Amino acid sequence: MQTILYFCFMEKYILALDQGTSSSRAIVFDHEGNIRSVAQKEFPQHFPRPGWVEHDPKDIWSSEASVIAEAITKMDINGKDIAAIGITNQRETTIVWDAATGEPVCNAIVWQDRRTSDYCESISSEMAAKIREKTGLIPDPYFSATKIRWILRNVPGAAEKAKRGELRFGTVDSWLVWNLTRGSVHVTDVSNASRTMIFNIHTLQWDPELLEFFGIPESMLPRVAASSEVYGHTKTTIFAHEVPIAGIAGDQQAALFGQMCTEPGDIKNTYGTGCFLLMNTGEKPIMSENNLLTTIAWKIGNKTEYALEGSIFVGGSVVQWLRDGLGIIKSSSEVEALALSVPDNGGVYFVPALTGLGAPYWDPYAKGTVCGITRGTTAAHIARAALEGIAFQTMDIALAMEKDAGVHLGTLKVDGGASRNNLLMQFQADVLGTRVVRPQITETTAEGAAYLAGLAVGYWSGLDEIRRYWKADAEFNPQASREAEKAGWADAVGRTLSGKSKTTK
């Protein structure tokens, strides 16, 4: 039977939809896990007030629909050539729409948005402990629950419509599936649900007590499914044939799967807009004692696996800020050459708390800090300090993760756009004192979604087959001791913390 399935799928492909914070992408993978076609389109970012970050949900959908059409047109294929669709998405970003019309009630509130900081700080320590025990998360504006609460309290008529069962909530995966199926399927997977702060990661159910606490009617919520199963079929005119939607995972969990970090202790870091360090902890959740998050990695069949996670809010986006905010580079690709034009950081440290600090500090009030500037400081020193700041933030999380898991990190697998920066990767190996490995295919987020979808429809036989397709591109081993730089970084972080966050240690 497996041989028959293999030959049936030999001429077919998997389409992965990678809906990110600043752009939408569609990537076509073949049976060997190779990328055959890519289309990408940026969409507008909205910053209506300081600390507020929004997207127009219609821009998310229209940009994704556009790149789907472009990616399959490049290959001269159509729906009948696609075995399944996998979806991976920016997590926590919150969309609420009318169930009858599909019209959003307001802009999507993006994961980076900090408008609910004061409310999160007002949550009692007793309730915060309960939230952490049930969800693996800490009360923070990062997650979806307080964003939903804000929408229901601030968008005229939203609370009343929600009580009448007329509104739907979804993270971006749910929004894409809703549009791909023309409103016939309202679903999410366990990995995305685990990022909402209202999902019990032990019972794998929406938690009634937390829904009541945040004032969220359960009728708004999507069905929670596994990460690899057929949720429904496309009904959009983009495809001439109905295509099964068969894989969903939040972007970081998808990257963990794409990196084949499928055994407890396996670890990866994705260097994207933010940075996200995840460690597979197996079928039992580890509740962090060092301000990390416990999250669901994925569910395949009846097996649910968990992960420890540390989130960095500003990773690669600090390079965008150097380009757009300071204007010291014209394109992001120039930053490595600029940073390499000086031998070191010149005593400059850049803590990029441009939207607060994530793990392990969880300080939403922190502001970005550049320390150590002198008359001799140049744009090159600031560029180098910005890159090093990404590596130092990763180091802070890795140290916390080692304590929680009781293991020393052996190898760090890396992916994402900034992982192509060799200077950053070498410095990362130096400050961690461990090997850093970059795969040949760094689009591991989309790759993970593709694998999950393909497994659900029998396109691939199982994990053993998929593991054969993972290949290393480059390895970076520690070459220098960075103790002085680590001390300088610790001092800079101390100057950056606001002292206002209850979770800041």
Side-chain angles (χ1 to χ4, degrees):
M1 181 64 178
Q2 191 59 52
T3 302
I4 295 173
L5 280 174
Y6 176 79
F7 282 110
C8 287
F9 284 125
M10 277 186 68
E11 300 304 320
K12 290 198 172 189
Y13 306 92
I14 300 292
L15 174 63
L17 310 184
D18 184 357
Q19 204 299 302
T21 307
S22 57
S23 68
S24 294
R25 294 188 299 165
I27 303 180
V28 179
F29 290 89
D30 66 19
H31 199 273
E32 285 69 47
N34 299 311
I35 294 175
R36 298 295 295 274
S37 177
V38 180
Q40 180 170 349
K41 184 176 183 179
E42 292 189 0
F43 58 89
Q45 312 289 301
H46 302 282
F47 308 96
R49 298 184 189 179
W52 290 29
V53 188
E54 297 180 354
H55 295 154
D56 184 337
K58 292 183 178 180
D59 287 340
I60 292 175
W61 167 240
S62 64
S63 61
E64 196 63 66
S66 173
V67 294
I68 291 171
E70 183 181 345
I72 61 179
T73 299
K74 283 181 178 178
M75 291 188 65
D76 193 25
I77 60 175
N78 56 37
K80 67 180 176 58
D81 302 305
I82 300 171
I85 294 172
I87 295 173
T88 183
N89 55 284
Q90 52 167 312
R91 304 172 303 170
E92 299 93 19
T93 294
T94 297
I95 305 173
V96 175
W97 65 92
D98 188 288
T101 66
E103 286 291 315
V105 302
C106 62
N107 274 349
I109 302 180
V110 178
W111 59 273
Q112 297 166 313
D113 190 282
R114 312 307 289 170
R115 74 186 66 185
T116 62
S117 294
D118 289 342
Y119 170 71
C120 288
E121 287 297 309
S122 75
I123 294 173
S124 70
S125 56
E126 293 78 12
M127 192 63 202
K130 186 171 292 188
I131 289 170
R132 182 150 197 172
E133 190 279 325
K134 287 173 177 279
T135 70
L137 311 176
I138 66 171
D140 191 85
Y142 182 20
F143 307 110
S144 307
T146 62
K147 303 179 194 299
I148 304 170
R149 179 183 181 275
W150 188 94
I151 290 172
L152 295 181
R153 286 173 171 252
N154 290 275
V155 175
E160 292 74 17
K161 293 186 74 173
K163 289 177 183 176
R164 294 196 298 266
E166 298 172 3
L167 295 185
R168 298 291 180 266
F169 151 75
T171 41
V172 171
D173 57 307
S174 299
W175 175 243
L176 293 180
V177 173
W178 179 276
N179 282 280
L180 284 166
T181 62
R182 292 188 170 181
S184 64
V185 179
H186 187 212
V187 70
T188 189
D189 89 300
V190 290
S191 71
N192 279 292
S194 73
R195 311 298 297 184
T196 60
M197 212 159 67
I198 49 176
F199 186 74
N200 191 311
I201 63 173
H202 308 285
T203 65
L204 305 185
Q205 301 287 330
W206 299 116
D207 191 90
E209 183 180 11
L210 297 182
L211 292 178
E212 182 178 0
F213 177 76
F214 290 110
I216 300 171
E218 190 168 1
S219 61
M220 295 179 68
L221 307 179
R223 176 177 71 89
V224 182
S227 307
S228 180
E229 67 174 74
V230 177
Y231 314 102
H233 293 74
T234 60
K235 298 184 184 301
T236 173
T237 55
I238 300 172
F239 303 101
H241 300 74
E242 290 190 354
V243 182
I245 305 167
I248 297 175
D251 52 9
Q252 302 315 316
Q253 290 95 329
L256 190 70
F257 195 75
Q259 287 274 36
M260 286 291 97
C261 292
T262 56
E263 298 295 327
D266 289 349
I267 187 169
K268 71 89 195 175
N269 193 26
T270 295
Y271 299 79
T273 301
C275 291
F276 302 89
L277 194 68
L278 272 75
M279 175 189 284
N280 185 322
T281 61
E283 296 182 65
K284 291 186 178 180
I286 294 177
M287 306 307 287
S288 175
E289 297 181 358
N290 294 280
N291 282 338
L292 300 181
L293 306 177
T294 303
T295 196
I296 296 177
W298 50 72
K299 181 182 180 184
I300 300 175
N302 294 320
K303 185 178 180 181
T304 302
E305 297 190 54
Y306 294 84
L308 278 173
E309 175 173 337
S311 307
I312 296 168
F313 295 150
V314 176
S317 60
V318 72
V319 178
Q320 295 174 333
W321 183 77
L322 295 179
R323 181 193 67 193
D324 302 333
L326 288 188
I328 62 174
I329 53 175
K330 293 181 179 179
S331 68
S332 298
S333 60
E334 297 176 4
V335 70
E336 184 173 11
L338 179 61
L340 281 170
S341 68
V342 289
D344 53 47
N345 64 17
V348 177
Y349 294 87
F350 187 171
V351 184
L354 307 184
T355 56
L357 279 176
Y361 303 103
W362 295 109
D363 187 350
Y365 302 102
K367 306 294 183 184
T369 304
V370 181
C371 300
I373 296 175
T374 68
R375 286 291 298 271
T377 299
T378 67
H381 291 114
I382 293 176
R384 190 168 185 121
L387 292 178
E388 292 180 356
I390 299 172
F392 280 129
Q393 290 180 99
T394 300
M395 176 194 72
D396 289 341
I397 292 173
L399 292 175
M401 200 166 279
E402 286 182 337
K403 293 177 184 176
D404 280 332
V407 298
H408 176 69
L409 304 185
T411 297
L412 175 67
K413 290 184 175 180
V414 299
D415 55 70
S419 71
R420 299 185 184 94
N421 188 308
N422 290 337
L423 171 63
L424 172 59
M425 292 300 98
Q426 183 57 59
F427 192 79
Q428 188 71 84
D430 289 348
V431 297
L432 286 177
T434 194
R435 183 176 67 147
V436 171
V437 180
R438 182 174 64 209
Q440 288 182 4
I441 296 178
T442 57
E443 303 292 354
T444 54
T445 302
E447 193 173 31
Y451 287 153
L452 289 167
L455 287 172
V457 299
Y459 186 79
W460 288 294
S461 61
L463 291 179
D464 287 342
E465 179 185 3
I466 293 173
R467 286 192 188 99
R468 296 202 301 265
Y469 304 137
W470 190 96
K471 296 180 178 65
D473 168 63
E475 295 186 7
F476 302 86
N477 294 292
Q479 294 181 353
S481 172
R482 300 288 183 178
E483 296 308 313
E485 289 96 328
K486 291 178 186 178
W489 169 256
D491 177 70
V493 170
R495 296 169 185 268
T496 300
L497 295 172
S498 69
K500 294 167 64 176
S501 176
K502 291 187 291 187
T503 54
T504 300
K505 291 185 175 181

